[in-house]
Amino acid sequence: RVQARLAHWHALQERKLKYFDRARALLRRATRLQPTYMAAWMSWALLENDQRQPARALELFDRAAHIAQRHDLCVPYLFQAYSSLQLRTRPLQSDIARATIRRGLQLCMRAKSAGSALATCQLQLALGQLEERQACMTDAQALYEAACSSQPKHAPAFHRLGMLEASR
């Protein structure tokens, strides 16, 4: 595990110095050393996207999402970033991004870790915002209400719900 994290950290440093091929090789190494290390997968996908390779970035996000599902990993940031890229590259196919967020939401709802309730709330908010942008206000409201009830002290959930209700 330590070697994968060191390779990831080193890759981030190489990326800052604009040594993109070295960063890519180190990220490949990190994901091979520890395939469930989602931060390395995400860094690699974002590197490819920044290098104007969105198809490669989507492929890497998809591989990471499959690994997360196979190992029941609650990684909301991965599914949020993946769906965001899907929306940017396929703006007329919001159903694909919606399905991606739902995949992550199912994983987080099944998880029993300490942060899984907050992760569930974050994905409910992300999905609610997507529904709101697609003018599916009833679905958005239901997701915001679910986020509020799952995390009653999470102010952004109440803010989104309030903003939606104020706009109606």
Side-chain angles (χ1 to χ4, degrees):
R1 294 183 68 205
V2 171
Q3 285 184 342
R5 291 175 191 272
L6 286 173
H8 180 224
W9 178 84
H10 190 192
L12 295 177
Q13 299 309 309
E14 295 290 358
R15 182 179 177 175
K16 282 181 188 176
L17 297 171
K18 302 194 184 316
Y19 296 122
F20 301 117
D21 289 335
R22 287 188 211 169
R24 190 175 285 116
L26 286 160
L27 291 165
R28 183 178 299 113
R29 182 169 185 238
T31 57
R32 284 187 181 146
L33 287 169
Q34 187 181 352
T36 58
Y37 184 34
M38 293 294 116
W41 284 104
M42 189 159 156
S43 292
W44 190 4
L46 293 174
L47 170 67
E48 297 299 345
N49 186 56
D50 290 348
Q51 293 297 298
R52 293 176 175 59
Q53 300 292 326
R56 178 70 175 138
L58 287 167
E59 177 188 319
L60 290 166
F61 271 126
D62 193 55
R63 284 172 58 191
H66 282 293
I67 291 168
Q69 285 182 288
R70 193 170 37 238
H71 293 277
D72 279 333
L73 301 176
C74 176
V75 282
Y77 57 87
L78 175 81
F79 288 94
Q80 282 181 286
Y82 185 16
S83 67
S84 178
L85 182 59
Q86 289 171 325
L87 283 171
R88 283 197 308 275
T89 58
R90 302 176 187 132
L92 301 177
Q93 297 177 342
S94 60
D95 54 321
I96 295 171
R98 185 180 286 116
T100 296
I101 296 173
R102 287 190 189 284
R103 284 167 61 191
L105 187 55
Q106 288 172 348
L107 285 172
C108 291
M109 290 175 86
R110 284 196 313 252
K112 303 294 184 226
S113 63
S116 63
L118 180 58
T120 298
C121 177
Q122 290 169 336
L123 286 173
Q124 287 167 329
L125 289 175
L127 187 54
Q129 288 175 321
L130 175 59
E131 297 294 359
E132 193 174 344
R133 275 183 255 142
Q134 299 300 314
C136 300
M137 300 308 183
T138 305
D139 292 341
Q141 182 175 355
L143 286 158
Y144 293 153
E145 287 172 353
C148 289
S149 65
S150 71
Q151 282 293 294
K153 294 183 180 180
H154 191 63
F158 287 93
H159 177 75
R160 291 298 327 156
L161 180 59
M163 293 299 291
L164 178 69
E165 288 178 356
S167 70
R168 290 178 135 188

